Amino acid sequence: MAYQVAPDVPDQLVGDPGRLSQIVINLIGNAIKFTESGDVVLSMSLASESEEAVTLACSVADTGIGIPEDKQRLIFDVFSQADSSMSRKYGGTGLGLAICAQLTAMMNGRIWVESEEGRGSTFHFTVEMQKRRDAVEKPVVDAGPLTGLRVLVVDDHPTNRGFLVDMLAEWSMQTTEAGTGVEALAALTGDDGEAFRLVLLDETMPEMEEHGLIREINRCAEGRDLAVILLVSAGQRADTGVGDYAGIACTVSKPVKQSDLLNAIMDTVAGTSVPALEERAGGLSEGVVARRILLAEDGVVNQRVAVLMLESRGHAVTVANNGREAVERFKSGAFDLILMDVQMPEMDGLEATRTIRGLESGSDHIPIVAMTAHAMSGDRERCLEAGMDDYLSKPIQAQLLYAAVEGAQATGRPPAGPESSSFAASPESAPVDWEKAVAQVGGDVAVVAELAGLFLAECPKLETGIREAVDGGNAADLRRHAHTLKGSAGVFKAETVVDAAQRLEKMGRDGDMDNAEAALSALALELDRLKPVLAERVADAKLQDGSGK
């Protein structure tokens, strides 16, 4: 997978980041789902610009199964797919593209597809964004030490090579491309001008195993001042032994981020790094040590809550959507801590924790903090017995989360407090406690408004899952969907919805669904009270932001 954002795209625009993300994630998710081999490439450029607005042109291209020409218009209709067998083989209902079409239209844009059966698809879409009147100019990077520097870019993927060359050209570097190890060695041995100072090398090259290629590069460059930066797949654990032996200066994760590459090159060539091209929200808080965190959570809203909280403090977060993904991410990545939801599809948090503990060597122990809406002491004990070190009740409160993540070591003690152990709400309760919800995420109204938008988008899917589980008598699915809805609603202190969802969750857990219809009706009634309130809050936040969209 690769991505490229054109240099002329402004850093700061006024629009709806949640909806833009929803479109991009849906298109990339589909591309990955329908592409067994090859690549997926996201591109973004500036289509047009006026004094007050810009139109972004985006595309997601893949090398997958493609779509027959006579089916291409149908795929944007609600619940339509190019082939009815796709839902059985790949999963899904086909609703996502219809939603993308609606969202692009709401942002004064459109979406279309170019595809050839068996050769892949490219989904294009445009969206209009307003310019910020108070926008800060793009930072000017002083890349003086890099001007004219000769770089050999070695990657068998022409798209990746092209993206890298474009980045390097922005810093006035001279580049030579090689698509194979043989071409790379030929470029080095045939160098009769100013010597290469740097090699950007993809970790997996055809014809030559990469560590052998690095040894050959070092042999060709003997006596020269030459550094190798290895481009590795996202989440791969760096092999320091190989790096010391083979002469790797550092590694950069793919898809390559421009600011990461610039810092790596400056640090390697000039011995210094430059400020990142992108400002993190809030930056690294004073006195906080940045942590690499693996977040295992299947609820979209709860994912977003945790990511926003942690990134605002300067931590790096990798998301796993279920326990099985969490185990795979752990095996291939280097993390300081894992936040583990207990109830997830495919593999729950308890089983994932036991598996991870079995993979650890005797001296290694990664702290694992449970996140669950369960509040009974027996549930806490089950988490600790599975090998977890600490326990956080949902909805997650910012200060408790920071204490668990930023503490010197895992304490293994469950957080105390009556608020985390009570889900009861009186029938007269307001559908949402907005003030508590805002305080819970550190006082940022815009964050809660964004989460409300995500909840409103995710809720129909969860409601459909609960309805289908009740109709089909599927207790396991009822428990899972109700649990996810309960956790998402808890973010907004929507206690009546939490209570109604918890009743359905318990029915699924106990396998007793005799009164599920009545409980489902009660949940629907509470959601009907909650949704308009959240929608109004989202609209108010956008008006205050000045976007009006």
Side-chain angles (χ1 to χ4, degrees):
M1 181 176 167
Y3 74 92
Q4 183 181 43
V5 178
D8 59 352
V9 174
D11 282 350
Q12 299 172 308
L13 294 169
V14 176
D16 191 328
R19 293 295 177 261
L20 182 59
S21 294
Q22 191 174 352
I23 297 169
V24 170
I25 290 170
N26 188 284
L27 294 180
I28 289 178
N30 280 347
I32 292 171
K33 183 189 298 183
F34 294 112
T35 303
E36 292 188 4
S37 63
D39 54 73
V40 174
V41 179
L42 167 67
S43 300
M44 182 178 291
S45 60
L46 197 60
S48 64
E49 182 177 9
S50 66
E51 270 193 37
E52 296 185 346
V54 302
T55 297
L56 300 179
C58 312
S59 68
V60 175
D62 65 60
T63 56
I65 62 175
I67 304 166
E69 187 174 356
D70 61 334
K71 304 291 187 182
Q72 291 178 17
R73 293 181 63 85
L74 298 176
I75 59 174
F76 296 105
D77 294 339
V78 176
F79 299 114
S80 290
Q81 289 185 328
D83 184 341
S84 61
S85 66
M86 286 183 178
S87 61
R88 292 191 296 272
K89 181 175 181 180
Y90 296 103
T93 62
L95 182 60
L97 289 176
I99 293 174
C100 288
Q102 293 174 2
L103 293 176
T104 53
M106 292 169 69
M107 290 188 273
N108 298 326
R110 66 189 186 98
I111 186 169
W112 69 100
V113 64
E114 296 175 347
S115 182
E116 184 177 345
E117 194 170 5
R119 297 178 65 92
S121 305
T122 300
F123 282 84
H124 302 268
F125 72 92
T126 61
V127 289
E128 183 182 281
M129 299 284 174
Q130 302 301 306
K131 290 183 176 179
R132 280 187 57 170
R133 296 175 183 174
D134 59 343
V136 179
E137 291 293 325
K138 275 192 175 185
V140 178
V141 177
D142 180 14
L146 308 183
T147 300
L149 191 77
R150 294 199 64 200
V151 183
L152 179 60
V153 180
V154 187
D155 194 320
D156 61 306
H157 194 297
T159 303
N160 282 338
R161 275 204 319 275
F163 288 177
L164 291 168
V165 168
D166 289 345
M167 290 183 196
L168 300 175
E170 281 196 58
W171 307 318
S172 303
M173 302 170 77
Q174 297 182 32
T175 57
T176 299
E177 298 181 47
T180 67
V182 172
E183 291 178 7
L185 295 178
L188 288 171
T189 55
D191 182 21
D192 55 1
E194 185 181 347
F196 288 106
R197 285 287 314 282
L198 182 67
V199 177
L200 299 185
L201 175 64
D202 182 36
E203 65 169 341
T204 48
M205 292 294 299
E207 302 176 27
M208 287 189 178
E209 184 266 334
E210 70 271 17
H211 301 142
L213 177 56
I214 294 168
R215 285 191 288 269
E216 290 298 319
I217 289 174
N218 289 337
R219 188 175 296 117
C220 290
E222 190 172 353
R224 300 184 189 180
D225 182 12
L226 180 70
V228 178
I229 294 178
L230 194 64
L231 308 178
V232 302
S233 297
Q236 292 297 310
R237 192 188 304 269
D239 188 336
T240 54
V242 169
D244 294 341
Y245 171 71
I248 300 172
C250 64
T251 61
V252 175
S253 290
K254 298 184 297 183
V256 175
K257 189 176 179 181
Q258 191 173 22
S259 56
D260 291 343
L261 180 62
L262 179 58
N263 276 320
I265 293 174
M266 290 290 284
D267 191 49
T268 299
V269 174
T272 181
S273 60
V274 298
L277 298 181
E278 296 178 317
E279 292 294 332
R280 299 190 77 126
L284 186 61
S285 300
E286 185 176 356
V288 174
V289 177
R291 300 290 176 89
R292 297 161 299 178
I293 299 166
L294 176 58
L295 169 66
E297 166 66 62
D298 65 313
V300 175
V301 173
N302 285 323
Q303 281 181 3
R304 190 64 177 149
V305 170
V307 169
L308 286 169
M309 287 183 183
L310 294 167
E311 287 189 345
S312 72
R313 302 276 284 190
H315 301 297
V317 185
T318 298
V319 175
N321 295 294
N322 55 58
R324 196 174 305 283
E325 280 189 24
V327 172
E328 293 305 313
R329 298 269 194 283
F330 169 77
K331 289 193 291 188
S332 62
F335 301 100
D336 300 309
L337 179 134
I338 300 175
L339 294 173
M340 184 78 74
D341 185 30
V342 172
Q343 286 201 31
M344 293 182 289
E346 296 192 39
M347 179 186 287
D348 65 27
L350 300 178
E351 185 180 352
T353 298
R354 295 187 192 100
T355 303
I356 289 171
R357 292 300 180 222
L359 293 171
E360 289 178 330
S361 63
S363 59
D364 294 332
H365 179 89
I366 186 169
I368 300 178
V369 178
M371 299 190 305
T372 177
H374 293 169
M376 299 174 64
S377 59
D379 293 316
R380 294 189 176 98
E381 293 305 317
R382 284 197 307 137
C383 293
L384 298 178
E385 287 172 5
M388 296 177 174
D389 301 282
D390 207 342
Y391 179 100
L392 291 173
S393 288
K394 292 181 182 178
I396 300 299
Q397 299 178 51
Q399 295 308 313
L400 292 177
L401 177 64
Y402 299 149
V405 168
E406 296 164 5
Q409 57 184 355
T411 62
R413 65 180 186 279
E419 193 174 9
S420 67
S421 61
S422 175
F423 294 102
S426 65
E428 294 79 20
S429 297
V432 62
D433 190 328
W434 191 255
E435 286 71 23
K436 282 188 177 181
V438 171
Q440 185 171 266
V441 299
D444 194 328
V445 175
V447 167
V448 184
E450 179 185 349
L451 297 173
L454 288 173
F455 177 85
L456 292 172
E458 183 191 34
C459 192
K461 179 178 68 176
L462 295 173
E463 288 181 89
T464 299
I466 292 172
R467 162 52 65 191
E468 291 176 349
V470 171
D471 290 345
N474 191 323
D477 281 357
L478 175 63
R479 176 185 181 185
R480 179 165 59 86
H481 291 304
H483 174 81
T484 301
L485 179 60
K486 178 181 72 174
S488 297
V491 169
F492 311 102
K493 299 294 182 179
E495 302 295 354
T496 55
V497 171
V498 168
D499 188 55
Q502 189 177 31
R503 284 196 293 272
L504 283 163
E505 180 189 15
K506 186 177 186 300
M507 290 177 182
R509 184 169 62 245
D510 296 343
D512 180 6
M513 300 174 63
D514 290 344
N515 297 313
E517 280 291 347
L520 181 56
S521 297
L523 174 63
L525 180 65
E526 295 303 337
L527 284 171
D528 286 343
R529 295 178 61 216
L530 173 64
K531 290 177 186 177
V533 176
L534 291 183
E536 183 180 358
R537 293 289 186 173
V538 171
D540 288 346
K542 289 178 179 177
L543 287 174
Q544 292 173 12
D545 181 55
S547 66
K549 291 187 178 181

